[in-house]
Amino acid sequence: MADGLLVAGCLLLAMMLLGEREVLLGTTGAILVGVTALTTVLILEVMGVYRIVLRFMNQYMALTLAMGLLLSMINLLVLNLLLGQPLSLNVLPLFALLVLLSVEGLRLILRELYQWSRTPQRQPVVIYGAGAAGCELARALQHGGRYRPRAFVDDWRGLQGSLVEGLPVHHPDELESLIQRLGLELVLLAIPSAPRCRRRVILEQLARLSIPVQTIPGSQDLVSGRASVNDTCNVEVEDLLGREPVSVFAELTGADIRDKVVMVTGAGGSIGGELCRQILRQGPSLLVLVDNSEYALYVIDQELQDLVRSSASQARVKAQLVSIQRGDRMREVMASFGVQTLYHAAAYKHVPLVEANLVEGIRNNVFGTLGLALAAVEENVETFVMVSTDKAVRPTNVMGATKRLTELICQALAARKPSSTRFCMVRFGNVLGSSGSVVPLFRRQIERGGPVEVTHPDITRYFMTIPEAAQLVLQAGAMASGGEVFVLDMGEPVRIADLAANMIRLSGLEVKDDTHPEGDIEIVYTGLRPGEKLFEELLIGDDVLATGHPRIMTSHEVAWEWSALEGFLEELYEAMQHSRHLRILQLLLEAPLDYRPDGHVVDPAWQARHGRIYGTLASAGADSTQATVARLGLQASKSI
């Protein structure tokens, strides 16, 4: 009805403006106006204009409407000819202009009124990045009910000062004033294809503004369809680190997997689970999952079974609920399935827990690995890849010492002849998102209002993602000839206090400190935990060699012959069986681990048994072992 009235009014106005009074007052004029209004409505109906939802109207829908109005003008021209040309042809273009402005203008006005009515309910945001992704995001947000885009920010000078999707584009230096002037509450990062180093620079600049920052998914997720451009999420910590992901060499990834029987220990853990996912994509004939946690094993087994069904893979998945400490059972599993490649990711890895449970840490990490490795040799497993840690380098805690000892075990078995099993170790730093990772802990502390707890203001760590860690394990294992320790070029270490501060600021909050006493969240320093280092290392010696992968290095480090190691392990096993904590620590000090403890014996069971008489382990190298042992009173009390 509105369109019919507007068309009639536009035709009457055009005739009045051009002086067509005779036609306007006569019967012919009434026929022209009535028929044109009616046929225009019918044309628009046929073209689907009345099925357009006004709040979702875009340029394509506006073009459809314009085509319908053009047909209306042609219809008027034909009608005018049939009636003997009572109207001059000058009326037609004026009528076309008036009807286009009125009919389309009415819809645009209604759409803007609708958007204006929702303004108080929507959060004003600025989009960082005026490229294709930013434009798509702006269009999506215009129709959403949560965010209202007010401007773009882009560092390309060619766009600055222009309008994109009807929004002005500003230089990043103007962002602080834009926040104040437009009342912006959020920055949406729309640069999915930018390298991480570039994203890190941008995020560091945004962190200083203390405004919440969210990002759209990465380009790979957008292309694959796993996410859409309006699926905004919190900034990933990988972007804060700024290190580019390790490139994947396909020929290495599948070398020890394709059409083989593969076993993964610790399959229910964060690293083990990702290993299983990536292994399954390489087409093994059989994947054997080993874990001693029933729930964790159930979860990963269900996930992998679903993955097999959805991908129509021919691979089979078998779950085995067993601890690596059961060497006889592990040997039976290997023999039953004919395991060819074994990835050993099962370990107790939490530094404070292992420090406080010394005996079980030794039992699981050292003797569990020993039994597993011996079983692999006896069952002629082709490749044995052990997941190690940077904490094994000059360890200051029991967990690191156990991992360095397992490296020595694998090195000794690799050198022992005859043996058809290739052993190698893969060493990397902290894994983002793994169980016990500091990042989710910081997020939880920020969400509940702080404080954020950091052990020491100068503590630093190397970081990598779970997929990177799994890829490193798979690729390094394929390059091994026997006994190597592989490490990843992980870039620069990250200061944990800076990481915490950036996470706080990118959540839109201010760090509360001496210079900002009115801040929102305080960072408190709790002190180093028992056995914790300020700085982690990845290599012990300087004999670093390149490999076929530009980001993976190898090092032939200090080894121990099996004949000497075997006697040491017998003594360590006896001390472990009788829970002689100080004897265990003495043996770890005497071994070529470069073990440098700097705290007290913190095992609660030992403390309860011996009261407050527990020794202090000062930093000690090989030359001062006897002095350390003497201080501990080991010479006087071997039973401890």
Side-chain angles (χ1 to χ4, degrees):
M1 187 182 298
D3 286 343
L5 292 174
L6 285 173
V7 170
C10 288
L11 183 54
L12 289 172
L13 181 60
M15 288 190 289
M16 288 176 60
L17 292 174
L18 294 178
E20 301 281 346
R21 291 180 59 82
E22 294 182 4
V23 179
L24 183 62
L25 298 175
T27 306
T28 305
I31 294 173
L32 283 170
V33 171
V35 172
T36 301
L38 180 62
T39 54
T40 299
V41 171
L42 292 174
I43 289 170
L44 296 181
E45 168 64 25
V46 170
M47 295 191 69
V49 170
Y50 296 121
R51 293 194 296 273
I52 296 174
V53 180
L54 290 186
R55 65 175 179 270
F56 299 130
M57 188 172 177
N58 57 27
Q59 63 267 32
Y60 304 109
M61 298 175 182
L63 182 61
T64 301
L65 179 58
M67 291 296 295
L69 297 176
L70 176 63
L71 290 176
S72 173
M73 188 191 72
I74 294 172
N75 173 70
L76 177 59
L77 174 63
V78 172
L79 183 60
N80 188 45
L81 292 173
L82 291 175
L83 294 176
Q85 290 187 310
L87 288 177
S88 66
L89 294 180
N90 293 336
V91 173
L92 296 177
L94 181 58
F95 165 73
L97 179 61
L98 291 174
V99 78
L100 183 65
L101 289 174
S102 59
V103 175
E104 285 211 21
L106 174 64
R107 284 164 168 76
L108 293 174
I109 289 171
L110 290 174
R111 190 185 71 169
E112 290 306 313
L113 286 173
Y114 172 77
Q115 297 287 1
W116 178 79
S117 69
R118 296 165 64 240
T119 296
Q121 308 165 9
R122 301 166 72 201
Q123 191 176 4
V125 301
V126 62
I127 299 174
Y128 199 117
C135 294
E136 188 177 346
L137 177 62
R139 286 194 292 271
L141 297 182
Q142 292 284 8
H143 302 306
R146 185 176 180 185
Y147 300 122
R148 179 166 62 103
R150 297 297 309 276
F152 281 104
V153 169
D154 201 289
D155 50 13
W156 184 42
R157 288 188 298 175
L159 281 174
Q160 291 161 13
S162 60
L163 290 175
V164 174
E165 293 293 328
L167 301 172
V169 182
H170 299 271
H171 189 276
D173 292 343
E174 301 176 50
L175 189 52
E176 187 171 5
S177 62
L178 283 175
I179 293 171
Q180 301 296 327
R181 182 159 49 89
L182 301 178
L184 301 174
E185 298 178 12
L186 181 68
V187 176
L188 295 176
L189 205 60
I191 47 174
S193 58
R196 280 188 185 161
C197 56
R198 176 63 189 145
R199 294 168 72 89
R200 178 183 181 179
V201 172
I202 292 172
L203 288 171
E204 286 176 348
Q205 294 170 347
L206 294 176
R208 293 195 289 268
L209 301 176
S210 294
I211 184 172
V213 179
Q214 289 195 322
T215 183
I216 64 173
S219 54
Q220 291 183 346
D221 291 331
L222 292 175
V223 171
S224 66
R226 291 192 295 268
S228 62
V229 72
N230 59 340
D231 291 336
T232 58
C233 56
N234 292 327
V235 173
E236 296 296 330
V237 180
E238 293 94 316
D239 294 328
L240 291 175
L241 302 181
R243 187 174 59 79
E244 294 302 311
V246 177
S247 54
V248 178
F249 285 22
E251 66 278 9
L252 293 176
T253 304
D256 291 325
I257 298 172
R258 197 164 292 111
D259 300 324
K260 292 191 176 186
V261 178
V262 182
M263 175 189 283
V264 178
T265 67
S270 48
I271 299 296
E274 182 62 24
L275 274 173
C276 293
R277 296 180 195 98
Q278 296 197 23
I279 288 169
L280 204 56
R281 297 188 192 108
Q282 300 302 320
S285 62
L286 173 65
L287 176 57
V288 182
L289 316 177
V290 173
D291 206 291
N292 67 345
S293 168
E294 180 189 22
Y295 178 71
L297 187 63
Y298 167 77
V299 170
I300 189 64
D301 180 47
Q302 292 297 304
E303 179 186 342
L304 296 179
Q305 297 289 1
D306 290 343
L307 186 59
V308 168
R309 285 190 290 269
S310 63
S311 62
S313 171
Q314 299 301 312
R316 294 171 297 143
V317 177
K318 301 294 181 183
Q320 295 292 293
L321 183 62
V322 58
S323 169
I324 61 168
Q325 298 176 31
R326 293 281 311 281
D328 54 343
R329 176 62 178 155
M330 296 307 304
R331 186 178 294 106
E332 180 186 345
V333 171
M334 292 181 204
S336 300
F337 294 115
V339 173
Q340 296 168 278
T341 303
L342 195 157
Y343 295 98
H344 175 36
Y348 293 156
K349 64 177 185 177
H350 297 282
V351 170
L353 276 178
V354 176
E355 203 75 15
N357 294 272
L358 171 65
V359 171
E360 290 308 310
I362 295 286
R363 189 190 308 277
N364 188 77
N365 290 3
V366 176
F367 291 100
T369 299
L370 175 63
L372 187 69
L374 290 174
V377 172
E378 290 183 21
E379 297 303 326
N380 297 312
V381 172
E382 297 172 7
T383 305
F384 185 108
V385 183
M386 193 195 81
V387 175
S388 189
T389 170
D390 57 357
K391 293 172 179 62
V393 181
R394 283 180 271 272
T396 59
N397 52 69
V398 173
M399 194 281 284
T402 62
K403 295 302 283 185
R404 178 60 186 138
L405 189 51
T406 55
E407 289 181 357
L408 290 173
I409 291 171
C410 291
Q411 287 174 309
L413 290 176
R416 194 176 67 160
K417 302 299 180 184
S419 174
S420 59
T421 303
R422 286 187 302 125
F423 285 89
C424 72
M425 291 67 68
V426 184
R427 191 186 288 163
F428 45 76
N430 292 265
V431 179
L432 292 170
S434 65
S435 59
S437 171
V438 70
V439 173
L441 175 62
F442 284 172
R443 281 211 176 104
R444 289 194 298 270
Q445 291 173 345
I446 292 170
E447 286 170 1
R448 68 170 182 246
V452 173
E453 297 178 347
V454 178
T455 56
H456 193 281
D458 296 323
I459 193 168
T460 62
R461 289 292 182 267
Y462 292 99
F463 283 99
M464 67 188 312
T465 65
I466 292 177
E468 281 183 302
Q471 290 163 11
L472 171 63
V473 172
L474 299 183
Q475 295 178 89
M479 293 189 289
S481 58
E484 299 96 336
V485 175
F486 292 99
V487 296
L488 173 67
D489 176 9
M490 299 187 67
E492 295 298 319
V494 176
R495 190 167 171 264
I496 302 300
D498 293 340
L499 179 64
N502 282 333
M503 289 182 67
I504 292 171
R505 294 189 183 107
L506 291 172
S507 299
L509 304 169
E510 182 59 67
V511 177
K512 184 178 181 180
D513 53 23
D514 293 339
T515 56
H516 299 89
E518 73 289 348
D520 304 292
I521 292 181
E522 184 181 7
I523 297 177
V524 298
Y525 298 102
T526 58
L528 292 175
R529 297 172 296 182
E532 191 171 33
K533 281 184 178 182
L534 268 182
F535 312 102
E536 296 288 6
E537 305 167 87
L538 288 168
L539 289 169
I540 296 176
D542 297 325
D543 186 17
V544 181
L545 303 174
T547 67
H549 194 295
R551 297 284 294 277
I552 299 176
M553 303 170 291
T554 184
S555 174
H556 287 280
E557 298 179 349
V558 176
W560 211 359
E561 290 186 3
W562 178 253
S563 57
L565 178 58
E566 191 174 21
F568 169 84
L569 291 173
E570 289 175 357
E571 290 189 63
L572 184 63
Y573 184 79
E574 181 184 357
M576 179 200 70
Q577 286 291 83
H578 294 90
S579 295
R580 292 162 59 185
H581 293 66
L582 296 184
R583 177 59 177 160
I584 291 172
L585 294 173
Q586 178 192 12
L587 289 169
L588 294 179
L589 281 165
E590 291 174 350
L593 310 177
D594 207 5
Y595 180 41
R596 303 177 179 187
D598 58 0
H600 300 292
V601 178
V602 295
D603 191 305
W606 189 91
Q607 290 181 3
R609 190 164 67 248
H610 297 284
R612 299 194 57 81
I613 309 173
Y614 41 87
T616 299
L617 300 178
S619 299
D623 294 338
S624 58
T625 298
Q626 295 302 321
T628 304
V629 170
R631 284 203 306 276
L632 290 170
L634 292 175
Q635 304 295 347
S637 179
K638 287 286 187 180
S639 65
I640 298 180

